[in-house]
Amino acid sequence: MINNQFILNKFGFLGEDFSKELNKHAVITDIKAKTEIIREGQKNKFVPFLIKGSIKVFTLNDGRELIYYYIRMNDSCLMTFSSIFTDCVSRVYAVAEEDSEVLLIPVSVVHEWLIKFPEINKLFYYEYDKRFSDIMNMVNDAVFHRLDKRVINYIKQQILITGNNPVKLTHREIASNLGTSREVVSRVLKKVENEGELIQTKEGIKIPVNENVRLG
């Protein structure tokens, strides 16, 4: 039986018949941190639901990443789901940020369920709303915020995702995720550290307690 508590929390409203179908067709797999799950141009065979861990969804432009959103525990990937209505070809990259456990449902089965269990559409509408908000926040951050604010927001986001403060992040990793250079990020981090907004230690980058209350 697939993770009963997860099924109850995520799909319980669809009833016992759906639970039986889910156990019949879905599979659970473990994915190691930093493992690529899918890449742009690759055929989507499954719709994923994250049981635990975190997954980064992004695109690449001249080797630089543009993050769309992070999939967190109990979430699904909107971009993957939306592709099944067209050619099932991925338009994004997805990489596990940490060791993750994922529920995979075959695309062909999802097509059948949309007809057989129409209430499942409520689940995807909810996922769409969350992911759309994430993308809007990303666009607003990129357009309206200075780089120092974007760096701080990115670090806070990683603390929320991992639950670690300090969080292990390299200057190069931050630069790649924000579409800038490592040298620029290093200068920005030094500036905001001097202003008391963060602390760089051997354990990672830490947001002070007075800032931490505003992480959410």
Side-chain angles (χ1 to χ4, degrees):
M1 195 75 165
I2 292 174
N3 196 313
N4 286 328
Q5 192 58 49
F6 174 78
I7 289 179
L8 182 62
N9 293 341
K10 194 70 179 178
F11 304 103
F13 72 98
L14 291 168
E16 184 65 26
D17 288 343
F18 182 84
S19 294
K20 292 177 181 178
E21 287 274 322
L22 190 65
N23 277 281
K24 178 180 178 181
H25 296 287
V27 295
I28 288 180
T29 185
D30 293 320
I31 302 174
K32 292 293 185 182
K34 307 306 178 184
T35 300
E36 183 180 84
I37 299 170
I38 197 164
R39 60 174 40 240
E40 186 178 352
Q42 187 176 342
K43 203 82 168 177
N44 282 318
K45 297 180 180 179
F46 300 94
V47 174
F49 288 87
L50 190 63
I51 297 174
K52 64 180 180 180
S54 66
I55 296 172
K56 177 173 64 177
V57 179
F58 61 98
T59 188
L60 284 175
N61 188 357
D62 292 331
R64 291 183 176 180
E65 294 180 3
L66 176 62
I67 300 173
Y68 287 136
Y69 51 81
Y70 288 88
I71 306 172
R72 301 185 179 94
M73 185 171 64
N74 294 327
D75 287 347
S76 183
C77 180
L78 173 68
M79 302 291 279
T80 299
F81 178 70
S82 64
S83 75
I84 73 174
F85 296 104
T86 52
D87 51 12
C88 291
V89 173
S90 176
R91 293 164 178 79
V92 296
Y93 293 82
V95 173
E97 282 284 277
E98 55 186 327
D99 291 347
S100 301
E101 186 178 13
V102 181
L103 174 74
L104 300 174
I105 305 175
V107 167
S108 58
V109 174
V110 174
H111 277 295
E112 294 175 6
W113 286 351
L114 290 173
I115 298 173
K116 189 174 182 179
F117 303 99
E119 287 288 300
I120 199 175
N121 284 287
K122 292 181 180 179
L123 177 64
F124 290 115
Y125 291 148
Y126 175 67
E127 295 292 337
Y128 173 83
D129 183 64
K130 288 196 294 182
R131 297 290 78 80
F132 183 75
S133 295
D134 287 343
I135 292 175
M136 287 299 296
N137 289 335
M138 178 272 293
V139 171
N140 287 335
D141 207 31
V143 173
F144 298 114
H145 290 163
R146 298 183 315 181
L147 185 57
D148 55 352
K149 180 66 174 177
R150 293 176 61 202
V151 168
I152 289 292
N153 286 346
Y154 176 77
I155 294 169
K156 288 180 178 180
Q157 183 182 53
Q158 295 306 304
I159 290 172
L160 283 173
I161 290 171
T162 64
N164 298 324
N165 188 20
V167 61
K168 279 284 188 182
L169 291 168
T170 67
H171 293 193
R172 188 176 300 280
E173 181 181 358
I174 297 172
S176 175
N177 287 327
L178 296 182
T180 186
S181 69
R182 181 189 60 79
E183 292 79 10
V184 169
V185 166
S186 295
R187 288 197 297 270
V188 168
L189 286 173
K190 188 63 176 177
K191 172 181 175 292
V192 294
E193 184 175 26
N194 289 338
E195 294 171 350
E197 294 192 64
L198 60 81
I199 302 169
Q200 297 186 79
T201 70
K202 291 181 179 179
E203 289 73 33
I205 301 175
K206 181 178 181 178
I207 300 293
V209 174
N210 62 331
E211 286 291 321
N212 199 36
V213 297
R214 297 200 296 271
L215 288 179

